[in-house]
RNA sequence: UGGGGCGUCGUCAAGCGGCAAGACACAGGAUUUUGGUUCCUGCAUUCGGAGGUUCGAAUCCUCCCGCCCCAGCCA
């Protein structure tokens, strides 16, 4: 049985393990009369290469003797010549319609410190003279790369055929593009270097470490990959599919919890001030085995600012003056009084509760459509919550960029929003980093590595599907 | 007539001579103590276009059209 071996990208870097072997193989090609040392300048090389429609012409150094080539190449290796003064070129075909075959450069002289081999080498192989060779040495069976390398496959094959070495198969397919995302490594590097994100593991980055920190599970990424499929056509996958895969998994597995992102104080005027009740809350309605937990309730609570509206439209099922709403796992409350500051901002609600409604229902069976989440003001744990949006304001980082503009001109200024004053239920006291949770009615959150015993930090992985919010948005636009 | 690829729903994507899968998105409806979940329903008489072959074509042939990649001593 032969094992499948896959290789992917960055060959020059990884090929450093085989620099000695590559050097020997280059000498083998020289001895075969298939490579020569060229002294054309970069400008001349470009000129001699021809254009897309016109053939190139041969370098005057193309027909040196094997002995001379050997001597020159060894001296290049020994460091006798200045950077850029000479190259080793494969002798293929200057008239080839495929420009990659017009005597491609194999080695250039470059005094650079390699991250792995340091200053040992002053000649470095080009991508094409490293890709197939390192694949071959590693007994790769299938060398996977992206579409733009289709033109390089004939050269990949040529080198291996001339070398008469084990010959892996290069297979190309389309790279993954995600809407509103920067996917190119070179661009990602800019985001990091220029400080547009906090680092390679910034939750907005489409890196494995970024996805992990945002809260995407490995299996959700795998499911996503399977659903996207593999093909050769350039495509742009909707980020919504990734979110769907995450929700699908976490809906079944994530611990539910109540967290208030923008707190609004609620005082229950008819609830005994010194009383505290422990309410039973379900940990996951999709998985009974996850059991229940206790949530403390008292006369001082915080609810979500967006769950109250003074002039509420008809379909607003949440808290409004004179309206009744259910506090999840607790009681029905009715809003009697709205307290505002000098600027007219609502800062507190005075409500009464129905003692008959404990647990969320009443003997008279009256219908209360809205259910909102809450935390006890006296028991809640302060937390920092980080909300993320798309990094870009355009879906296609390559195609939607206008003439003369750069993808950085389309950075979403709201891609990160930090909420310093969020409150979560005491169940989350001392949560550890690396946990996926669902904040009920909000979305899925992941405890960030910045979390300490004193302060929890939550990253929003994705929101819940929100048909109400969508409707509100649409109405605003019209 | 430079070469190399690719065209199937808004987005991905199966299909490879015999009735156009599926998923996301979207739109309706039912259930619901998360405006979540779940459940129903709808969503390509047509596959870039035009001819041709065939009893039969998204699939085979011809021509045309559109999009992507290639002229780094980058990968």
């Amino acid at each position: 049985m032969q094992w499948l071996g896959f290789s992917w990208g960055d060959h020059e870097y990884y090929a450093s393990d085989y620099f000695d072997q590559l050097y020997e193989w280059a000498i083998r090609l020289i001895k075969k009369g298939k490579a020569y040392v060229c002294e054309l300048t970069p400008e001349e090389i470009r000129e001699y290469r021809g254009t897309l429609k016109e053939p190139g012409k041969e370098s005057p150094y193309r027909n040196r003797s094997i002995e001379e080539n050997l001597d020159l190449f060894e001296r290049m290796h020994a460091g006798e010549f200045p950077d850029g003064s000479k190259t080793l070129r494969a002798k293929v075909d200057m008239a080839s319609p495929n420009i990659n075959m017009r005597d491609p450069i194999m080695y250039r002289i470059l005094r650079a410190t390699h991250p792995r081999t340091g200053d040992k080498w002053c000649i470095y192989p080009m991508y094409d003279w490293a890709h197939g060779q390192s694949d071959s040495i590693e007994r790769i069976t299938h060398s996977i790369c992206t579409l733009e390398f289709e033109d390089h496959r004939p050269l990949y094959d040529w080198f291996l055929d001339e070398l008469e070495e084990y010959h892996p198969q290069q297979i190309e397919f389309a790279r993954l593009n995600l809407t509103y995302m920067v996917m190119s490594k070179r661009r990602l590097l800019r985001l990091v270097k220029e400080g547009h994100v906090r680092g390679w593991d910034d939750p907005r980055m489409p890196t494995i470490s970024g996805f992990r920190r945002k809260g995407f599970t490995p299996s959700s990424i795998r499911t996503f990959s399977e659903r996207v499929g593999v093909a050769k056509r350039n495509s742009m996958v909707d980020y919504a599919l990734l979110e769907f895969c995450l929700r699908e998994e976490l809906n079944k597995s994530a611990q539910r919890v109540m967290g208030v992102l923008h707190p609004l104080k609620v005082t229950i005027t008819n609830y005994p001030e010194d009383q505290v009740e422990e309410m039973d809350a379900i940990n996951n309605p999709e998985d009974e085995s996850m059991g229940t937990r206790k949530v403390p309730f008292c006369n001082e609570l915080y609810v979500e600012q967006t769950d109250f509206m003074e002039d509420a439209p008809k379909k607003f099922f949440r808290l409004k003056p004179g309206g009744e709403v259910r506090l999840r796992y607790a009681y029905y409350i009715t809003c009697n009084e709205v307290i505002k500051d000098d600027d007219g901002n609502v800062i507190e609600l005075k409500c009464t509760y129905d003692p008959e409604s404990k647990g969320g229902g009443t003997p008279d069976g009256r219908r209360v459509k809205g259910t909102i989440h809450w935390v006890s003001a006296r028991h809640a744990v302060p937390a920092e919550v980080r909300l993320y949006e798309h990094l870009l304001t355009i879906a296609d980082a390559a195609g939607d960029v206008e003439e003369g503009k750069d993808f950085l001109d389309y950075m979403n200024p709201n891609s990160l929003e930090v909420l310093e004053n969020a409150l979560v239920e005491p169940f989350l006291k001392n949560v550890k980093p690396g946990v996926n949770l669902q904040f009920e009615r909000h979305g899925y959150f992941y405890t960030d590595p910045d979390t300490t015993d004193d302060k929890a930090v939550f990253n929003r992985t994705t929101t819940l599907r929100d048909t109400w919010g969508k409707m509100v948005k649409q109405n605003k636009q019209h």
Side-chain angles (χ1 to χ4, degrees):
Chain A
M1 173 179 180
Q2 184 179 25
W3 292 95
L4 297 182
F6 295 94
S7 72
W8 184 281
D10 298 299
H11 292 273
E12 188 197 325
Y13 180 78
Y14 293 108
S16 59
D17 290 345
Y18 315 122
F19 278 173
D20 290 314
Q21 177 71 266
L22 256 43
Y23 181 70
E24 291 306 316
W25 281 358
I27 287 174
R28 190 192 296 178
L29 286 192
I30 293 172
K31 286 179 176 167
K32 231 183 141 181
K34 295 291 182 179
Y36 62 96
V37 172
C38 183
E39 291 171 46
L40 253 23
T41 65
E43 295 72 34
E44 289 168 330
I45 284 185
R46 194 186 321 126
E47 210 182 299
Y48 277 63
R49 185 156 36 223
T51 68
L52 293 176
K53 296 189 180 180
E54 297 154 19
K57 57 183 178 186
E58 297 185 351
S59 162
Y61 305 99
R62 197 174 200 261
N63 294 311
R64 286 204 226 251
S65 70
I66 288 173
E67 292 66 34
E68 196 182 358
N69 281 320
L70 240 26
D71 173 59
L72 253 16
F73 184 53
E74 277 161 12
R75 287 163 62 196
M76 277 169 66
H77 176 219
E80 284 189 30
F81 310 118
D83 283 8
S85 59
K86 291 179 175 52
T87 56
L88 182 73
R89 294 229 256 164
K91 194 190 282 189
V92 191
D93 177 9
M94 287 308 291
S96 171
N98 181 346
I99 290 184
N100 293 304
M101 303 297 273
R102 318 238 261 233
D103 289 9
I105 292 170
M106 295 166 63
Y107 277 100
R108 75 284 214 187
I109 303 172
L110 182 66
R111 266 155 266 253
T113 303
H114 190 281
R116 287 169 56 148
T117 58
D119 295 320
K120 185 181 172 197
W121 294 82
C122 64
I123 56 170
Y124 287 103
M126 298 290 287
Y127 163 84
D128 284 307
W129 175 249
H131 186 190
Q133 287 48 252
S134 52
D135 285 346
S136 178
I137 292 165
E138 295 185 345
R139 313 302 280 187
I140 296 295
T141 55
H142 304 266
S143 181
I144 309 302
C145 62
T146 42
L147 254 25
E148 66 267 32
F149 294 105
E150 283 173 326
D151 289 341
H152 294 248
R153 181 161 19 96
L155 182 55
Y156 182 104
D157 291 335
W158 186 90
F159 277 134
L160 259 9
D161 287 343
E162 291 298 339
L163 250 17
E164 296 177 65
E165 287 292 339
Y166 167 74
H167 195 147
Q169 182 185 7
Q170 174 180 310
I171 300 170
E172 312 84 13
F173 64 83
R175 61 184 299 143
L176 172 68
N177 291 302
L178 268 177
T179 53
Y180 304 101
M181 272 270 149
V182 178
M183 298 296 278
S184 122
K185 274 182 285 183
R186 295 175 191 204
R187 288 179 173 171
L188 258 13
L189 180 63
R190 279 188 68 190
L191 292 180
V192 173
K193 280 196 169 165
E194 297 174 21
H196 296 100
V197 294
R198 294 180 173 187
W200 286 102
D201 66 346
D202 188 294
R204 291 165 289 182
M205 294 283 277
T207 51
I208 292 296
S209 60
F211 276 152
R212 181 193 295 125
R213 191 165 181 178
K214 192 168 181 185
F216 283 101
T217 61
S219 61
S220 69
I221 295 171
R222 284 193 201 102
T223 307
F224 168 74
S225 305
E226 280 161 23
R227 290 186 194 198
V228 165
V230 176
K232 292 190 74 170
R233 73 181 84 164
N234 290 112
S235 59
M236 177 66 66
V237 177
D238 195 340
Y239 186 81
L241 180 59
L242 216 207
E243 293 183 303
F244 170 84
C245 293
L246 195 267
R247 291 190 190 113
E248 180 182 51
E249 177 186 338
L250 258 28
N251 175 52
K252 294 194 174 70
S253 64
Q255 164 79 45
R256 309 294 135 110
V257 101
M258 290 196 283
V260 177
L261 269 31
H262 299 96
L264 172 61
K265 180 137 191 223
V266 167
T267 303
I268 317 256
T269 53
N270 61 339
Y271 192 88
E273 273 182 48
D274 54 356
Q275 186 174 320
V276 175
E277 285 181 272
E278 297 278 318
M279 302 307 197
D280 288 310
I282 294 167
N283 286 331
N284 186 346
E286 306 293 318
D287 182 359
E288 213 177 302
S289 72
M290 287 177 72
T292 61
R293 67 185 186 284
K294 300 288 188 187
V295 185
F297 181 89
C298 68
N299 72 321
E300 290 180 306
L301 311 172
Y302 282 104
V303 300
E304 208 67 58
Q305 283 173 21
T306 49
D307 283 338
F308 173 79
M309 258 184 118
E310 202 164 16
D311 298 305
K314 227 180 181 167
K315 292 245 183 166
F316 187 78
F317 306 141
R318 285 110 98 148
L319 250 196
K320 49 195 165 190
E324 189 173 43
V325 76
R326 176 167 35 235
L327 293 177
R328 174 133 238 222
Y329 301 126
Y331 292 101
Y332 290 180
I333 59 169
T334 301
C335 174
N336 302 306
E337 192 184 344
V338 180
I339 298 173
K340 298 178 183 177
D341 64 12
D342 295 341
D343 297 325
N345 301 310
V346 177
I347 52 169
E348 187 182 346
L349 267 20
K350 301 274 192 197
C351 300
T352 51
Y353 84 114
D354 177 356
E356 297 281 293
S357 64
K358 183 167 181 181
T362 53
D364 64 12
R366 68 176 181 275
R367 247 174 98 80
V368 170
K369 178 84 172 162
T371 302
I372 64 173
H373 61 276
W374 52 276
V375 292
S376 159
R378 296 214 290 268
H379 307 268
V381 179
E384 176 179 323
V385 172
R386 298 174 184 166
L387 305 180
Y388 299 96
E389 283 182 18
H390 295 134
L391 207 43
L392 297 177
T393 56
I394 46 173
D396 184 350
D400 291 344
V401 174
E402 291 170 70
E403 190 73 23
K405 286 199 174 183
D406 187 73
F407 78 98
L408 289 172
D409 293 323
Y410 299 91
M411 295 294 288
N412 178 2
N414 307 316
S415 62
L416 168 64
E417 185 184 357
V418 180
L419 273 22
E420 306 272 6
N421 303 312
L423 294 167
V424 296
E425 61 172 278
F427 178 76
L428 256 23
K429 203 177 170 88
N430 301 323
V431 263
K432 300 295 172 228
V435 180
N436 290 101
L437 300 162
Q438 184 196 98
F439 283 19
E440 291 210 40
R441 305 209 303 132
H442 275 305
Y444 294 99
F445 290 76
Y446 181 75
T447 48
D448 191 87
D450 288 347
T451 296
T452 63
D453 286 344
D454 299 325
K455 188 184 178 193
V457 178
F458 300 98
N459 293 318
R460 184 173 68 194
T461 316
T462 184
T463 59
L464 257 24
R465 271 186 75 230
D466 180 11
T467 46
W468 168 252
K470 194 185 291 175
M471 202 165 88
V472 171
K473 235 181 214 172
Q474 281 173 356
N475 288 341
K476 265 186 192 164
Q477 283 168 358
H478 298 149

